[in-house]
Amino acid sequence: MDNKGSFRGLIPLIAFLVLFFSIGLITGDFSKLPILVGVLISTAIAFCIVHEDKTKRKTFEEKMNIFCKGAGEHTLILMIVIFILAGAFYGVAGSMGAVDSVKNIGLTILPANMILPGIFIVACILSFSMGTSMGTIGAVIPIAIGIAQAADINIALTCGAAVGGAMFGDNLSFISDTTIAATRTQGVAMRDKFKFNILMVLPAVILNILFLMLVPVDPAKITEVLATTAGDSVFAIGNLIKLLPYIVVVTLSLIGYHVATSLSISIAVGLIVGWLQGSFTLVESFTLVHQGITSMMDTAMIAIVVGGLVKLMQDLNGIEWLLEKLTSKTKTAKGGELSIAALVSLLDMATTNNTVAIIAAGPIAKDISKEYDIAPQRVASILDIFASAASGLIPYASQLLAVQGLLAVAGLNHIGAASVMPYNWYSLLMLVFGVVFILIGFPKPKVKNKSQDEVAA
């Protein structure tokens, strides 16, 4: 068998892409094919493919064992546990009013002439706290639309600023599913990935704020709008206490606690605050935790099936073939990093799900990092940066489709996802600076890294 792998092993992935795009183009709606169903179909195809090497052909039972081994890989299961905890945290934080407190405090302290960069910053803070771009979009976009209409600001531009802020947290938050996927697939601690990642996107944040500041607005109209958007009581002690779960999870994560520990303690803090403030009863809190957990079930199931599918493709030498093609002209670590960035971006465009893209690209990226001695913190950061940026720039991805839906609810059917996309300057800048930092090789670890398997979560 050729050690360069076999194209046959990539047929399941190609089948998924053809199926996904065909249904999306025919129906005009790329959400018609649920990702989980598409991955299951691809997995069924993988079971039907016969290995080119007759000595390595497997029975159905042997293939099932390979699939289960991939689906039950220990880092994947840990990632799913963290997904579940993140869902529970979001369910509790949202129900106790923490989301509204962050949003209203941010809007209250905004100067009138800083409304556009302010919307971006509020979305950044909210998405970093919540760990979800979709939740941030749901909370901030209606406010952004209202402000834009009342103050006569370009609505697509205002929504683009909010989407950019949503992708900031999707990329950097300690409880974001993309962060969890990127760190777990590369075996690095979240705080180590954060230190690398923040340095790589900070120029994009600063430039985006500067660009938004240059957009002319009418301060008088803005002041009037803000007076009705956020009340005067947002700084009441009751509202400030609602921020405790977010403060705890960020603080503990930065200190170096395991993310599962940080999330568990933060959930407990949120429950206690919610009980004391009467947001929900003890019995109701069980339902809220369960609802939060179930909101992550689809993502968790996709992760399990993708893990098994990747293992089957690896057994068919498809992963080796793709790795060889990606690195055939690569001679340096820099080339390896560019290959990783291209791979996860393409998978994101194909699946419209940045978490799935990272989970699928993770094993290949890990092989590339070993071959070219690339720091795992850099690999995790590159995976997350390019996957998050791509999701904010795909008109048929869930983030921009959600914005389009909210615009339609507001009676703005003439403004679609494609209209908002060019104004998501932050995601564009993420891509630009991601490439720049790959080319200049910054940042680098100060000391040689431990084996990826030795690094704690």
Side-chain angles (χ1 to χ4, degrees):
M1 179 67 186
D2 191 343
N3 60 9
K4 290 186 178 180
S6 170
F7 176 77
R8 186 181 300 191
L10 281 184
I11 291 177
L13 176 60
I14 295 171
F16 169 79
L17 298 180
V18 171
L19 183 64
F20 180 85
F21 279 104
S22 298
I23 293 176
L25 291 171
I26 292 171
T27 63
D29 185 354
F30 284 90
S31 65
K32 287 296 184 181
L33 176 66
I35 297 294
L36 180 57
V37 174
V39 174
L40 284 171
I41 293 173
S42 299
T43 302
I45 293 173
F47 270 91
C48 296
I49 296 175
V50 178
H51 204 294
E52 287 186 6
D53 187 343
K54 292 183 180 181
T55 63
K56 295 182 179 180
R57 291 178 181 176
K58 306 288 194 305
T59 65
F60 177 83
E61 184 176 351
E62 288 173 329
K63 290 181 178 179
M64 182 59 73
N65 289 335
I66 293 170
F67 174 84
C68 292
K69 184 177 180 181
E73 201 272 331
H74 72 281
T75 56
L76 180 62
I77 296 302
L78 177 57
M79 181 168 65
I80 291 169
V81 170
I82 297 170
F83 280 158
I84 291 172
L85 289 172
F89 175 84
Y90 177 62
V92 172
S95 299
M96 61 171 283
V99 174
D100 289 334
S101 290
V102 172
K103 176 183 65 181
N104 290 334
I105 288 173
L107 289 172
T108 300
I109 63 178
L110 287 178
N113 60 351
M114 282 281 290
I115 188 61
L116 285 174
I119 287 174
F120 169 71
I121 293 170
V122 168
C124 287
I125 295 171
L126 196 57
S127 61
F128 186 80
S129 302
M130 296 166 62
T132 166
S133 56
M134 293 299 291
T136 301
I137 286 171
V140 178
I141 288 295
I143 295 173
I145 293 172
I147 291 175
Q149 286 179 311
D152 195 24
I153 305 174
N154 185 321
I155 296 173
L157 170 59
T158 309
C159 290
V163 174
M167 303 320 298
F168 171 88
D170 210 5
N171 168 223
L172 282 169
S173 175
F174 290 103
I175 57 173
S176 166
D177 48 3
T178 61
T179 297
I180 295 167
T183 54
R184 291 313 312 161
T185 58
Q186 303 310 306
V188 300
M190 286 195 175
R191 62 173 178 174
D192 293 335
K193 179 261 188 186
F194 177 81
K195 292 174 184 177
F196 274 67
N197 204 155
I198 190 65
L199 290 174
M200 297 174 76
V201 300
L202 188 57
V205 173
I206 295 171
L207 274 182
N208 192 58
I209 292 173
L210 291 175
F211 290 158
L212 291 171
M213 287 175 64
L214 295 175
V215 178
V217 296
D218 186 342
K221 289 184 178 179
I222 297 296
T223 301
E224 182 179 347
V225 174
L226 291 180
T228 59
T229 302
D232 295 329
S233 61
V234 293
F235 290 105
I237 187 66
N239 282 322
L240 295 177
I241 289 176
K242 291 178 181 178
L243 302 180
L244 279 177
Y246 293 142
I247 295 172
V248 170
V249 72
V250 172
T251 302
L252 292 180
S253 297
L254 286 174
I255 290 174
Y257 278 77
H258 192 288
V259 63
T261 303
S262 302
L263 282 169
S264 299
I265 294 174
S266 301
I267 292 168
V269 171
L271 289 172
I272 293 171
V273 173
W275 294 334
L276 294 177
Q277 292 191 330
S279 299
F280 42 75
T281 65
L282 174 62
V283 175
E284 289 172 340
S285 67
F286 299 145
T287 301
L288 295 174
V289 170
H290 179 258
Q291 289 174 343
I293 291 173
T294 54
S295 70
M296 297 295 288
M297 285 297 99
D298 192 52
T299 300
M301 287 304 303
I302 290 172
I304 290 173
V305 179
V306 167
L309 174 59
V310 169
K311 197 70 175 179
L312 286 172
M313 290 170 59
Q314 192 173 39
D315 179 70
L316 292 167
N317 290 339
I319 299 299
E320 288 80 359
W321 185 90
L322 182 59
L323 182 61
E324 191 276 331
K325 292 300 178 183
L326 281 171
T327 60
S328 59
K329 296 182 180 181
T330 297
K331 306 299 181 183
T332 63
K334 196 174 296 182
E337 291 179 355
L338 289 172
S339 298
I340 292 170
L343 173 64
V344 76
S345 298
L346 290 171
L347 286 173
D348 199 1
M349 288 187 280
T351 63
T352 71
N353 187 305
N354 48 11
T355 306
V356 173
I358 292 172
I359 292 171
I364 302 173
K366 194 170 185 178
D367 288 340
I368 293 174
S369 71
K370 288 179 178 179
E371 182 171 351
Y372 295 100
D373 195 25
I374 305 170
Q377 301 96 320
R378 280 183 64 84
V379 176
S381 298
I382 291 168
L383 285 170
D384 207 346
I385 287 171
F386 284 87
S388 296
S391 282
L393 296 170
I394 303 173
Y396 51 86
S398 56
Q399 286 81 2
L400 286 175
L401 287 178
V403 175
Q404 181 172 293
L406 291 169
L407 285 164
V409 170
L412 301 168
N413 296 287
H414 61 287
I415 305 176
S419 300
V420 175
M421 180 190 70
Y423 292 105
N424 181 7
W425 299 338
Y426 177 66
S427 290
L428 290 168
L429 289 167
M430 282 176 71
L431 293 177
V432 170
F433 282 102
V435 172
V436 168
F437 281 115
I438 287 175
L439 294 178
I440 66 176
F442 177 84
K444 288 184 177 179
K446 294 181 179 179
V447 295
K448 187 173 179 63
N449 292 284
K450 296 179 181 179
S451 169
Q452 293 177 5
D453 295 330
E454 295 174 355
V455 181

